[in-house]
Amino acid sequence: MKILGLVIFLLLLVLSLVTFMVAYMESNEDVEKAENMALQTAKTVSYMPVVQETFIQNRDPQDINYVSEQIREEVGASTIKVVSRNGETMGISGAGSPVAPTDYYRAVVFGSNYILHTGEGNDEILKGISPILVDYGNYKKLEGAVITEFQMNDIHNEITADIKKIIAASSAVFVLGIAGSFFLARSIRKDTLGLEPYEISTLYQERDAVLQSVKEGIVAIDQKGIITMINVSAQELLDLPDHAEGQTVYEVIASTQFLEMVVSKETIVNKELQLKDKNLIVNTRPMRMKDNVIGTVISFRDKTEIKKMIDALSEVRQYTEDLRAQAHEFTSKLYVILGMIQLGKLQEAIKMIQEETQAQQQVTEMFFRNIRDEKVQAIILGKLAKASEKKINFKIEEGSSLEPLPDHIRLTPLIIILGNLINNAFDAVMDKEEKIVSFFVTDLGRDIVFEIADNGNGVEKGTEQQIFQKGFSLKGNNRGYGLAHVTEEVEVLQGNIEMDSYEHEGTIFTVILPKDKDKRFGRGR
């Protein structure tokens, strides 16, 4: 609608101005032509032989009337008059008003040729006046004047007719312009998917707000490598200046690997990239128009944040599994006790309750007396319930002791480290008749030492180092991430993990974490 309105306004303005200017110029031109015609006709008649001879020989002026009538009809004048210097009419063609002496005074006195307008409104008359200079041989004498008259009303009617033609032509151009602007607007609307400009503006603002609010870094570049869009997260992750938009990606990013991904014409999915001190997960998608790549959109996230999210989900999952195991174990025992009571075996029921209470008291006393960190207590209690459900003898070794852990050792790393190692130990003893898994912890000295041992089949020779690699597993496909995550968390805490395995006898994992992270450096496996 804006385009239509603008084009109509411009057409109307331009055509109105052009029409006014042409009409004005045409009007002046028509009046000027009439003035020239009147004066030229008067001059022509004044030099005609019949007029000259009439004055010289005093001939009958009827001949003048005949000739002037022919000329009047030819030029379209209303009247042609021939008067003598004393005011006598020598000849007249057409109807006209009486001639005033003031009309031809300058002609017969000074010999002037001139134009004269008399009357007003519809009675206005245009007069062309020329003197009659008669040659008597020895001398020349001004004997009279020729007056050619045009009715201005007739001239105005001709001008009006011309203006109507101009207006008709302008109207046709105006209609064609409106039709053209309508089709232009439809074409533009088609190109903009039927959206009006304000709707496109709203979508652009929404897009910009969404891109700036997402945590994922997003960069768009064109086919020349110029950054056309970059959000706040991308600037922070890539350490780019605020004025990076509009510059080439080669000027602001020095990473060769990143630039190779940018110029790639293939889609890249979840590729890891080390950029300065950050580990990024990068995705790229080329933008194509027909067969040509016109740009690329790159999105990336800090792997640390993704890992935190995975760890949080693992934490919730771990708690859920442990609570389910604990609930299942106690439900089963309650059903057994209920069955004994219903069968009247009260002593057996009381004995079972006492044994269970004594076992729980022993575990609780050991926990609260020796293992005083609440995070480790929660993890081990959950694993005790899970071990009981799987009929595994999960023991806390005598001599275990632990004070509250330092602040830099949080719950999430502990769940990943202890949870995975204990779960692996549980899996290792499942095919054994006597399933034994032991847990030991001590914080004597500068380090905190966790030890998880099992009586499983041990690790095959030659795979001792491979089991710590991501994706390697002896348990089947889509496994082999637990120990890799354990290793990563231990390294983050600047600790060490060691493994001793004896085939058909069992495996011992030892995790050593420094109490003071800032004064300890990892020593490797």
Side-chain angles (χ1 to χ4, degrees):
M1 295 304 296
K2 289 181 179 179
I3 292 172
L4 283 173
L6 178 62
V7 172
I8 290 172
F9 172 75
L10 290 176
L11 280 173
L12 194 59
L13 178 63
V14 171
L15 289 175
S16 298
L17 290 174
V18 170
T19 302
F20 174 78
M21 291 174 63
V22 171
Y24 178 77
M25 293 170 63
E26 186 73 19
S27 176
N28 289 340
E29 185 179 353
D30 286 352
V31 172
E32 187 178 350
K33 284 170 62 178
E35 290 176 346
N36 291 333
M37 181 64 70
L39 190 58
Q40 191 64 38
T41 302
K43 287 181 179 180
T44 301
V45 173
S46 69
Y47 286 111
M48 293 185 70
V50 66
V51 174
Q52 295 283 326
E53 291 175 359
T54 298
F55 281 95
I56 294 172
Q57 302 174 7
N58 292 319
R59 293 175 53 181
D60 186 0
Q62 188 64 33
D63 294 335
I64 296 177
N65 292 340
Y66 177 75
V67 173
S68 61
E69 179 64 25
Q70 289 183 329
I71 295 175
R72 185 188 68 81
E73 291 180 357
E74 190 70 29
V75 299
S78 60
T79 306
I80 297 178
K81 298 175 182 179
V82 179
V83 296
S84 64
R85 62 182 300 116
N86 57 11
E88 181 183 358
T89 301
M90 303 297 294
I92 184 171
S93 63
S97 59
V99 179
T102 55
D103 291 349
Y104 58 88
Y105 175 78
R106 284 185 293 164
V108 297
V109 173
F110 302 107
S112 301
N113 297 290
Y114 55 94
I115 298 296
L116 189 66
H117 287 265
T118 61
E120 294 180 355
N122 293 332
D123 297 330
E124 185 180 359
I125 298 174
L126 168 63
K127 298 178 180 180
I129 302 171
S130 179
I132 300 174
L133 184 62
V134 179
D135 188 358
Y136 288 99
N138 296 326
Y139 63 93
K140 295 180 180 180
K141 182 180 179 181
L142 293 171
E143 293 288 358
V146 177
I147 303 171
T148 304
E149 297 180 356
F150 284 88
Q151 294 289 334
M152 287 300 297
N153 192 36
D154 296 337
I155 298 173
H156 290 155
N157 289 337
E158 292 181 5
I159 293 172
T160 302
D162 291 340
I163 291 174
K164 288 181 179 179
K165 293 178 182 178
I166 295 171
I167 292 175
S170 299
S171 299
V173 173
F174 183 64
V175 172
L176 290 175
I178 292 176
S181 63
F182 175 76
F183 287 110
L184 174 63
R186 285 189 61 183
S187 175
I188 294 174
R189 190 177 179 90
K190 183 179 178 181
D191 293 338
T192 58
L193 305 178
L195 298 175
E196 290 288 349
Y198 76 91
E199 294 174 319
I200 297 173
S201 175
T202 301
L203 284 177
Y204 180 82
Q205 292 174 354
E206 290 176 355
R207 161 193 171 270
D208 189 62
V210 169
L211 290 175
Q212 297 301 333
S213 63
V214 296
K215 196 67 176 175
E216 190 169 8
I218 300 175
V219 178
I221 64 171
D222 63 13
Q223 56 189 346
K224 296 180 180 179
I226 297 175
I227 299 174
T228 57
M229 190 282 300
I230 183 169
N231 66 351
V232 175
S233 298
Q235 289 179 334
E236 294 176 351
L237 289 172
L238 300 177
D239 294 329
L240 299 182
D242 294 337
H243 56 275
E245 194 167 313
Q247 299 186 42
T248 62
V249 69
Y250 310 102
E251 293 175 343
V252 296
I253 299 176
S255 172
T256 305
Q257 283 183 294
F258 188 86
L259 295 176
E260 288 176 355
M261 294 181 186
V262 167
V263 300
S264 174
K265 295 183 179 180
E266 303 298 328
T267 300
I268 298 174
V269 179
N270 295 335
K271 186 170 182 179
E272 291 191 23
L273 171 67
Q274 189 68 34
L275 188 64
K276 297 181 180 179
D277 59 339
K278 297 183 179 70
N279 193 7
L280 304 179
I281 304 296
V282 181
N283 294 274
T284 68
R285 186 178 183 85
M287 296 182 292
R288 300 180 184 274
M289 181 175 289
K290 296 182 179 180
D291 295 330
N292 298 322
V293 177
I294 60 173
T296 306
V297 176
I298 309 105
S299 63
F300 42 88
R301 289 199 69 176
D302 192 344
K303 185 181 177 182
T304 305
E305 294 187 1
I306 300 176
K307 190 171 181 296
K308 287 180 181 178
M309 183 173 61
I310 294 173
D311 292 345
L313 293 174
S314 300
E315 179 182 335
V316 173
R317 180 182 176 186
Q318 191 70 50
Y319 274 128
T320 303
E321 289 182 356
D322 292 344
L323 289 172
R324 184 193 60 79
Q326 194 171 17
H328 184 269
E329 178 195 6
F330 280 101
T331 300
S332 299
K333 291 177 179 178
L334 286 173
Y335 277 125
V336 172
I337 294 171
L338 178 61
M340 290 181 178
I341 294 174
Q342 289 176 340
L343 293 173
K345 298 181 179 181
L346 300 179
Q347 294 300 323
E348 287 83 348
I350 293 171
K351 182 179 179 182
M352 183 176 179
I353 292 172
Q354 289 175 341
E355 290 176 352
E356 186 63 28
T357 302
Q358 184 178 2
Q360 291 297 326
Q361 285 177 347
Q362 289 177 351
V363 172
T364 302
E365 287 177 3
M366 179 179 293
F367 270 25
F368 288 100
R369 185 178 67 249
N370 298 333
I371 302 176
R372 300 178 60 187
D373 184 81
E374 295 179 352
K375 298 187 287 293
V376 177
Q377 289 175 356
I379 295 170
I380 299 303
L381 282 173
K383 296 305 178 186
L384 283 168
K386 190 172 183 179
S388 176
E389 181 186 21
K390 293 186 174 184
K391 308 301 180 186
I392 297 173
N393 182 12
F394 184 38
K395 302 184 298 182
I396 286 81
E397 294 287 347
E398 293 290 336
S400 294
S401 64
L402 181 65
E403 294 297 321
L405 292 172
D407 293 337
H408 72 274
I409 303 178
R410 297 176 291 105
L411 177 60
T412 299
L414 283 176
I415 290 176
I416 294 173
I417 296 170
L418 298 181
N420 278 293
L421 292 178
I422 294 174
N423 287 341
N424 284 347
F426 286 172
D427 292 340
V429 301
M430 288 305 297
D431 58 350
K432 292 287 186 177
E433 292 185 5
E434 186 179 8
K435 306 176 180 64
I436 301 173
V437 175
S438 62
F439 174 81
F440 174 79
V441 61
T442 181
D443 61 351
L444 297 177
R446 296 184 303 171
D447 297 325
I448 301 162
V449 180
F450 296 98
E451 188 176 276
I452 295 94
D454 64 71
N455 67 335
N457 292 324
V459 178
E460 295 181 6
K461 289 185 178 181
T463 62
E464 291 86 349
Q465 295 300 320
Q466 289 178 296
I467 63 171
F468 291 100
Q469 297 175 2
K470 186 178 296 186
F472 180 83
S473 176
L474 300 173
K475 302 174 185 177
N477 296 330
N478 300 321
R479 304 290 295 272
Y481 294 95
L483 287 178
H485 289 160
V486 170
T487 304
E488 290 176 0
E489 292 296 340
V490 170
E491 290 177 350
V492 169
L493 296 173
Q494 297 181 0
N496 302 299
I497 180 170
E498 299 174 355
M499 183 192 71
D500 294 314
S501 183
Y502 306 94
E503 199 166 356
H504 305 299
E505 293 184 14
T507 304
I508 301 173
F509 283 96
T510 303
V511 176
I512 305 170
L513 303 178
K515 292 181 180 178
D516 191 346
K517 183 179 178 181
D518 296 333
K519 297 181 180 179
R520 175 72 175 268
F521 298 92
R523 298 169 295 186
R525 291 195 298 273

